[in-house]
Amino acid sequence: MLSILSNQKATPKKVLSTPKRKATSITPKAKKRFFERSDITTSSTTPSEMCSKFGFEAVVLLCFATQHVPIMFPNRLTYIRNIVNSGKRTFTLEEISNIVHSVVSWKDTPWPLSGYSYHRTLWEISRHTSTSHMLFLAPPVDSCLHCGGKVYASDGSSHATVFTLGFGPLPALKCTLRCRECSSRYNICDYRIPNIGTKYYPSNCVTPYVEVSTCTYFEKNVHEFMCESSNHGIVSASAFTEIYNSVYSTDHNFTRNFYESELTASSTFKDQELRSTGYQVTMSRKNAINSFFNGELEKEVREREMVEEVTFQKKEDRKVLMNKIDELRRAELYPHTETECSSICKERGCENLRIIDGNWKLCVQHCLYSVPMEIDGQPLLNFPSVCTKEPQAGSVFCEDHFKLLKKKEIPVSKQDFLRCAGIDGPPKNPEERKEYDSKLAAFCRKLDGKDNISKNAAYYQGTEQLLKKLGPSAVNDVPEDLCNKDTGEKSHMRQRARGHVVVVSGGGNILYWNPVYKSESPSQVFVQIVNVLYMETAHMTQEEQEEAIKKYIISYDNICHLDKLKSCSTGPSLTYTTEQNLEISYQNN
C-alpha cells in the first residue's frame, strides 16, 4: 500500500513527472518456458508462466494492485481491473478474478515493486474514473475477533482523507466491516462489540494510521513527526498545521493533483467546498489535536500491554483512561535499562548523578478552588492549597467544584466568585498575594467544610504516602518567603501550575517529571527528590539502599534552600549527600 510508495528514493520532481520505467526482460530460463495458455484458473500457474502470457510489466502491475486494494474491500476486483488496465493490456473482470487466485499463491515471491512509481498512474486512474484509487482503507481483519464469524462490508465504501508525510493529503476510499454472527462492527483503527464496547486491535493486526475523525486519518509517520516536533521544538498543534499546509500548499504539485483530480466539488482552491465531498485538503488545528490524543493514547495502551483490558463504553471513557495512565506514571520512573545504557552514558554519571531543574514554560491550568493541604489531619503550611483538577470547558472550576458552587448558589464566574470571597482583584505584590491566598482558603473552607472531592498537590505529585512517612514537621519549619522563584506570577491569580520539576540522569535520560504549584517551593522540590531516590532503590534491601544512596550526587540550582529544611538540618547537608533523607523513609517504612 502506501508503504510501497514511500520507499521511493526519487526526488519530488521525478515523482511528479511521468516515470520512465526500466525495461525489464524475461530471464532466459523463463523464455524457454514460454507458451500460450487459454486456461489460467488453476492455482498451479507460476510467475514465469504468467509473465510469458501477459508480459512482465502487466504482471508486476497486477501484483501491485492486489497489494494496494485490501482483500475485504467491496468491489475489490473492479478497482484492481482499473489499475491493471492502465497498462498496455486490457483485462476483463472475469480474467482479473481468475488471475487473482493465482497471484494469491505467490505471496512469498519477491517482486521488484519498489522499482516502480505508481503515484502518477493512480492519479490518472482517479481522474479518469472520478473515483479515488490513491488509497483504500479497510479494517485489518478477515474474520470476527470476538466470535470467529464471517465479516462483510455492510455499508459499501465512503470518502476519507489521509494526511501523509511523503505525498501530502491523499483522497482515499474506506469501508467498515460487520460480523454476520454477533454484529460486531470493525472500523479502521478499532472495533466495537455489541453490549461490551470499543476495543483496540491486537498487536498482530494494527493499521498504519491514526484516526482523527470518521473521514480523516493521519499516517503514523505524520503523527510521530508532529510529536517529535513538539518534544524538541515546542511546536504547537496550530504551528504544525501551518507548517504542513505551507509545505503542501496549493502551489505544490501533489496538492494540485488533489484539486485537479475532479474528485472535489469544484476546481477552486476553497477547502470549504471540498468538505461537501467528504475530502479535506487542508489540515486543521483540530485535526492535529485529535491525532495527538488518539495516537498517543493508543500508543500508551500498547506499550503498557493493556489492549486486552481496555474497553471504551462511551466517549468520556477516554478521558478516564488518560487520567488512569497519568496516575500510573506519577508512581513510576521512566526506565533506563542496562541494555539501553552505553559506556559514554555511564561516564557521564547515569548511575548516581541526578540533575534537577524546572521547565517553567509548561504550565498546566488547574481549578481556581482552594483545597486545604493536610496529612492525617495536620496542615502542611508550605504546600500549595490548590485543586489540581483540570477546569471544565468555559469555566475556571473543575466539574466537581462547579457543581458544588451551583448547589450552594455561589456565582461561578471568576470575578463574581472572588467578590463573594472578599477579593477585589489580582494581587500586585507579595503581601497582597498572601492576603489573596488566605481569603480564598478561608472562604472555600467555610463553604464546604471538609473537602472530600478534591485531589491536593501531594496526591497529584505522587508524594502523599511519602509525606505521611516524613510527617508535616519535616517541611513546615521553613517560611515560604525563602523561595525567590515566583517571578512572573506575582500579578496572576495562580490558576496555572508554576511549571514542572524534571529529574534527569547524568547521561541525559529523563527519569521523572511532575508539576509544582504556586511557586518552586523548597518543600515541594525536596519531597519529589526524595521520592525519586526512594523509587530508584525500592527494590533493594536496606543495606543495599544505604550503599547506593551514599553514591548519589544531587545537582540543583536552589539546593541551599532545601538544605535549610528540618529533614536536612539533622544530618549531613544535601549539598554533599542525601543519605539522611532516605534514612527517614527507612525508619518509617
Side-chain angles (χ1 to χ4, degrees):
M1 296 172 64
L2 189 63
S3 59
I4 297 173
L5 303 179
S6 61
N7 288 332
Q8 304 300 322
K9 295 184 179 180
T11 61
K13 292 183 179 179
K14 291 182 180 179
V15 173
L16 292 175
S17 60
T18 304
K20 295 182 179 179
R21 298 177 179 174
K22 300 178 182 179
T24 307
S25 59
I26 307 300
T27 62
K29 185 176 181 180
K31 288 182 178 180
K32 292 181 181 180
R33 302 176 60 183
F34 180 84
F35 61 93
E36 290 291 337
R37 291 185 60 179
S38 58
D39 179 19
I40 57 171
T41 60
T42 61
S43 60
S44 60
T45 304
T46 64
S48 297
E49 292 171 345
M50 196 73 77
C51 290
S52 300
K53 185 173 182 63
F54 301 108
F56 183 81
E57 181 179 348
V59 174
V60 173
L61 188 62
L62 177 63
C63 291
F64 164 75
T66 55
Q67 295 181 23
H68 187 63
V69 186
I71 294 177
M72 299 303 297
F73 206 86
N75 301 319
R76 179 177 184 246
L77 295 179
T78 301
Y79 296 119
I80 292 177
R81 182 192 61 181
N82 294 340
I83 296 174
V84 175
N85 286 349
S86 65
K88 298 179 180 179
R89 179 165 181 141
T90 303
F91 294 85
T92 65
L93 198 61
E94 184 179 358
E95 286 179 318
I96 292 293
S97 177
N98 294 332
I99 294 172
V100 166
H101 289 293
S102 297
V103 174
V104 170
S105 64
W106 306 345
K107 59 182 179 180
D108 297 327
T109 303
W111 289 93
L113 299 181
S114 59
Y116 290 81
S117 176
Y118 294 104
H119 188 73
R120 187 172 182 83
T121 301
L122 294 175
W123 275 121
E124 292 174 353
I125 298 171
S126 300
R127 279 192 289 267
H128 179 71
T129 61
S130 299
T131 304
S132 174
H133 284 63
M134 302 305 299
L135 281 175
F136 296 88
L137 309 183
V141 296
D142 53 11
S143 62
C144 182
L145 298 177
H146 180 59
C147 68
K150 294 182 179 180
V151 293
Y152 68 99
S154 57
D155 302 322
S157 61
S158 59
H159 294 176
T161 301
V162 179
F163 291 99
T164 68
L165 193 61
F167 294 93
L170 291 178
L173 293 179
K174 57 165 284 191
C175 72
T176 58
L177 302 178
R178 188 181 296 273
C179 176
R180 296 185 183 275
E181 303 296 332
C182 65
S183 298
S184 295
R185 186 180 181 88
Y186 291 85
N187 302 311
I188 305 303
C189 299
D190 54 35
Y191 65 101
R192 184 170 186 81
I193 305 173
N195 302 321
I196 296 180
T198 302
K199 299 181 69 67
Y200 290 123
Y201 287 111
S203 301
N204 60 343
C205 52
V206 179
T207 59
Y209 306 105
V210 175
E211 182 174 335
V212 175
S213 67
T214 56
C215 59
T216 309
Y217 297 84
F218 273 26
E219 188 184 31
K220 283 191 175 178
N221 288 340
V222 176
H223 170 79
E224 291 296 333
F225 188 75
M226 176 182 66
C227 294
E228 292 303 319
S229 298
S230 176
N231 291 339
H232 299 285
I234 317 179
V235 177
S236 65
S238 179
F240 181 79
T241 57
E242 291 295 331
I243 295 171
Y244 189 90
N245 293 332
S246 297
V247 172
Y248 293 108
S249 64
T250 55
D251 296 328
H252 197 287
N253 287 335
F254 286 175
T255 310
R256 189 171 292 275
N257 281 334
F258 203 152
Y259 287 107
E260 295 176 352
S261 62
E262 299 182 5
L263 302 175
T264 59
S266 69
S267 59
T268 58
F269 298 146
K270 294 182 179 180
D271 193 50
Q272 294 298 327
E273 297 182 5
L274 301 180
R275 291 179 182 274
S276 62
T277 67
Y279 293 124
Q280 177 186 341
V281 180
T282 305
M283 182 189 295
S284 69
R285 178 182 63 88
K286 188 175 181 180
N287 294 150
I289 292 174
N290 288 344
S291 172
F292 174 80
F293 283 111
N294 293 341
E296 289 302 289
L297 182 60
E298 180 181 356
K299 188 175 180 181
E300 189 75 24
V301 169
R302 294 190 183 281
E303 287 182 354
R304 292 181 179 274
E305 299 181 351
M306 299 169 58
V307 175
E308 292 294 330
E309 59 186 88
V310 170
T311 302
F312 301 106
Q313 295 287 351
K314 50 187 178 180
K315 188 176 181 180
E316 291 75 12
D317 289 347
R318 295 182 181 272
K319 186 175 182 179
V320 174
L321 177 61
M322 291 170 64
N323 291 333
K324 176 63 178 177
I325 290 176
D326 194 46
E327 184 177 339
L328 294 174
R329 177 199 60 78
R330 297 195 297 268
E332 62 189 18
L333 301 176
Y334 286 97
H336 179 57
T337 61
E338 188 69 24
T339 57
E340 296 173 341
C341 191
S342 65
S343 57
I344 297 178
C345 183
K346 291 180 179 179
E347 290 176 1
R348 292 175 177 174
C350 75
E351 294 181 342
N352 63 335
L353 175 59
R354 297 294 175 263
I355 299 97
I356 292 89
D357 205 350
N359 182 348
W360 310 130
K361 293 183 179 180
L362 189 59
C363 303
V364 296
Q365 285 186 322
H366 60 78
C367 177
L368 181 63
Y369 205 86
S370 177
V371 177
M373 185 62 218
E374 297 178 348
I375 296 295
D376 293 335
Q378 302 181 50
L380 292 179
L381 304 179
N382 292 332
F383 254 74
S385 55
V386 299
C387 173
T388 60
K389 292 183 179 179
E390 180 184 3
Q392 69 175 17
S395 175
V396 294
F397 298 101
C398 65
E399 182 180 0
D400 293 330
H401 285 129
F402 185 88
K403 292 179 179 178
L404 175 65
L405 294 176
K406 282 289 187 179
K407 181 179 179 181
K408 298 286 185 178
E409 298 182 352
I410 302 295
V412 293
S413 65
K414 181 178 178 180
Q415 298 300 329
D416 293 341
F417 173 80
L418 292 176
R419 290 193 190 98
C420 288
I423 301 172
D424 297 327
K428 299 179 181 179
N429 52 58
E431 289 73 20
E432 290 187 7
R433 190 169 67 249
K434 285 184 179 180
E435 184 181 0
Y436 167 85
D437 290 340
S438 177
K439 287 183 177 180
L440 183 61
F443 179 76
C444 293
R445 189 181 298 108
K446 182 180 178 181
L447 183 64
D448 63 341
K450 186 67 176 179
D451 189 347
N452 296 319
I453 63 176
S454 303
K455 301 299 183 184
N456 57 41
Y459 174 85
Y460 192 85
Q461 292 168 348
T463 59
E464 190 174 31
Q465 296 300 319
L466 181 59
L467 279 170
K468 289 182 179 180
K469 297 177 182 179
L470 294 174
S473 60
V475 291
N476 275 352
D477 59 322
V478 178
E480 198 70 10
D481 293 341
L482 275 178
C483 178
N484 60 356
K485 293 203 171 187
D486 202 13
T487 57
E489 296 293 318
K490 289 180 171 52
S491 61
H492 295 274
M493 296 186 179
R494 304 193 186 186
Q495 291 177 245
R496 291 179 176 269
R498 178 64 183 90
H500 281 71
V501 166
V502 183
V503 179
V504 184
S505 71
N509 304 291
I510 297 176
L511 301 176
Y512 171 93
W513 59 269
N514 259 324
V516 290
Y517 298 95
K518 286 190 175 181
S519 65
E520 188 187 352
S521 61
S523 53
Q524 290 187 82
V525 178
F526 167 75
V527 175
Q528 295 200 53
I529 291 175
V530 175
N531 192 41
V532 170
L533 299 180
Y534 184 71
M535 285 193 292
E536 280 199 89
T537 60
H539 64 284
M540 302 180 183
T541 63
Q542 180 171 336
E543 292 75 15
E544 292 173 337
Q545 284 179 326
E546 292 175 353
E547 291 299 320
I549 293 302
K550 291 178 182 179
K551 299 178 181 179
Y552 272 107
I553 301 173
I554 303 298
S555 174
Y556 177 51
D557 58 3
N558 197 31
I559 206 165
C560 56
H561 286 160
L562 268 67
D563 201 33
K564 296 178 181 179
L565 290 171
K566 181 177 180 180
S567 299
C568 303
S569 60
T570 57
S573 172
L574 262 178
T575 308
Y576 306 103
T577 179
T578 58
E579 179 181 354
Q580 183 65 24
N581 296 328
L582 268 292
E583 285 182 356
I584 295 174
S585 61
Y586 298 154
Q587 296 168 3
N588 292 275
N589 190 3

